[in-house]
Amino acid sequence: MCMSECVRSISIKILRILIITRRKTGKEEQNIQFEIKTHGPKRDSGPISLIVNACASRDLSENVVGVCFVAQDITGQKTIMDKFTRIEGDYKAIVQNPNPLIPPIFGTDEFGWCSEWNQAMTELSGWCREDVIDKMLMGEVFGTHTACCRLKNQEDFVSLGIVLNNAMTGRDSEKLASHELQQAIHIQRLSEQTAAKRLKALAYIRRQIKNPLSGIVFSRKMMEGTELGDEQKRLLHTSAQCQRQLNKVLDDTDLDCIIDGYMDMEMMEFTLHEVLVASISQVMIKSTGKGIQIVNDIEEDIMTETLYGDSVRLQQVLADFLVICVNFTPNGGHLGLAASLTKDDLGQSVQLVHLEFRITHAGGGVPEELLSQMFGSNADASEEGISLHVSRKLVKLMNGDVQYLREAGKSTFIISVELAAANKP
């Protein structure tokens, strides 16, 4: 049998170098590794790994007349090393995984220096990974006399105590814990129960909203099959846009996906006109009740520009900022909409659109506390603050951002996004 037929395809190149090239040059090779196939009853046991040393045979004139190979079977050692590599990869995946289900993990090298400190340890102790890595585990990270981890503050100390008491299964934690720790555990349990009840209530509300929404969609589709005037068709289209937005919001069960920037944005064709009409319609009842005049100063060529992007998310963002502006505009006040658009060519057929909206409203403006919640600096955000925060994160997903400008007697939200447009022939 030809030698090349016995060697695995990934090792054929190595074999050719050994036999052909080295036979011509006479150069001797050492510690070359390749794999050969197994046959017969051992076919399913996998390839055999060899470490080969090659030396040349020469005649009296120092001409190369042959090549001699000395091989060592290292299949067992290589199998162990491959398993170690896989285990090492799994180990790193576990330690570096930010999933809250991963327990606190820390590790040390052979000299006692801290080599691992996962996210759960950071949340438990208050110390970041970079604060403890390459420090002595006993002495710098953990105390030498009390043999405990130095925590940053009292809150982290209480959290650690709760975790330790919950982990001690089979023992009466109420007898082990101090009065303060028992109180903290009791409060935590009440908080967990309250959170569970709120999740159930939220799931119920979502279901109860979706049911009548399905009826509204059905009625709208039935109306679309009748004879309608142009104005009626426009109103039905606006209604459909708002329904799509509501469906998107109802599907947003994981806000962390939006806040952390992991959500995929859709790419669809739309015009700014249909997005603005649907957004403005969501504040018309409230603005009419307060006697607020909404003026659209966006030029017609921008309104009718064909754009590509997530129109529903853009509609959601604009509606949120319009609602906030209407809420903080005095009765009988004024609210204006303006936009600018610039393009950069990305090729012969595609352009990058830089779109900037300005929503200007009269009055003293949005409170500073609410604006700080928009930028995520307040953990106990209000409903309006959460809405602004999520809207800004959606804008960030569109490669844009939000600013707020205060002037004498008026204030302005400046919302910038990036979309796509097709080059016009």
Side-chain angles (χ1 to χ4, degrees), residues 20 55 62 85 87 165 175 210 225-226 244 278 289-290 294 336 338 342 346 361 364 384 394-395 403:
I20 301 174
C55 58
E62 291 298 320
T85 302
I87 292 172
N165 275 274
K175 296 179 180 178
K210 282 191 172 184
T226 63
R244 288 179 59 200
K290 296 181 67 174
I294 299 178
T342 57
L346 297 181
H361 64 104
E384 289 180 321
L394 288 172
V395 171
Q403 303 175 55

Side-chain angles (χ1 to χ4, degrees), residues 154-218:
Q154 183 66 25
E155 181 181 349
D156 292 319
F157 174 78
V158 173
S159 298
L160 176 60
I162 292 172
V163 171
L164 292 176
N165 275 274
N166 289 338
M168 298 175 70
T169 58
R171 301 180 65 181
D172 190 354
S173 62
E174 299 296 331
K175 296 179 180 178
L176 294 169
S178 65
H179 174 71
E180 292 79 8
L181 191 53
Q182 291 180 31
Q183 187 68 20
I185 295 173
H186 178 66
I187 293 173
Q188 185 191 39
R189 289 172 180 170
L190 290 178
S191 300
E192 292 172 351
Q193 292 172 3
T194 302
K197 290 179 180 178
R198 288 179 177 177
L199 284 175
K200 289 182 180 179
L202 180 60
Y204 168 78
I205 292 172
R206 289 180 67 248
R207 172 55 56 192
Q208 294 305 311
I209 291 176
K210 282 191 172 184
N211 289 339
L213 181 60
S214 298
I216 294 172
V217 172
F218 173 76

Side-chain angles (χ1 to χ4, degrees), residues 40 43 54 83 102 182 184 202 206 216 263 266 290 295 311 386 406 409:
R43 178 184 296 274
K83 287 183 179 179
I102 301 298
Q182 291 180 31
L202 180 60
R206 289 180 67 248
I216 294 172
M263 187 188 69
E266 292 184 357
K290 296 181 67 174
V295 179
S311 63
I386 294 174
R406 294 185 189 274

Side-chain angles (χ1 to χ4, degrees), residues 3 76 112 198 209 220 285 311 324:
M3 184 63 178
R198 288 179 177 177
I209 291 176
R220 176 179 58 80
I285 293 178
S311 63
I324 294 296

Side-chain angles (χ1 to χ4, degrees), residues 7-45:
V7 178
R8 295 187 73 199
S9 59
I10 60 173
S11 301
I12 288 179
K13 184 177 179 181
I14 299 174
L15 180 66
R16 288 174 178 170
I17 293 174
L18 281 172
I19 296 178
I20 301 174
T21 307
R22 303 319 174 201
R23 183 177 62 187
K24 293 180 179 178
T25 63
K27 184 177 180 181
E28 298 182 352
E29 293 287 353
Q30 294 182 343
N31 299 325
I32 301 299
Q33 180 178 330
F34 65 85
E35 297 179 341
I36 61 175
K37 303 174 184 177
T38 52
H39 300 274
K42 293 188 176 182
R43 178 184 296 274
D44 297 331
S45 61

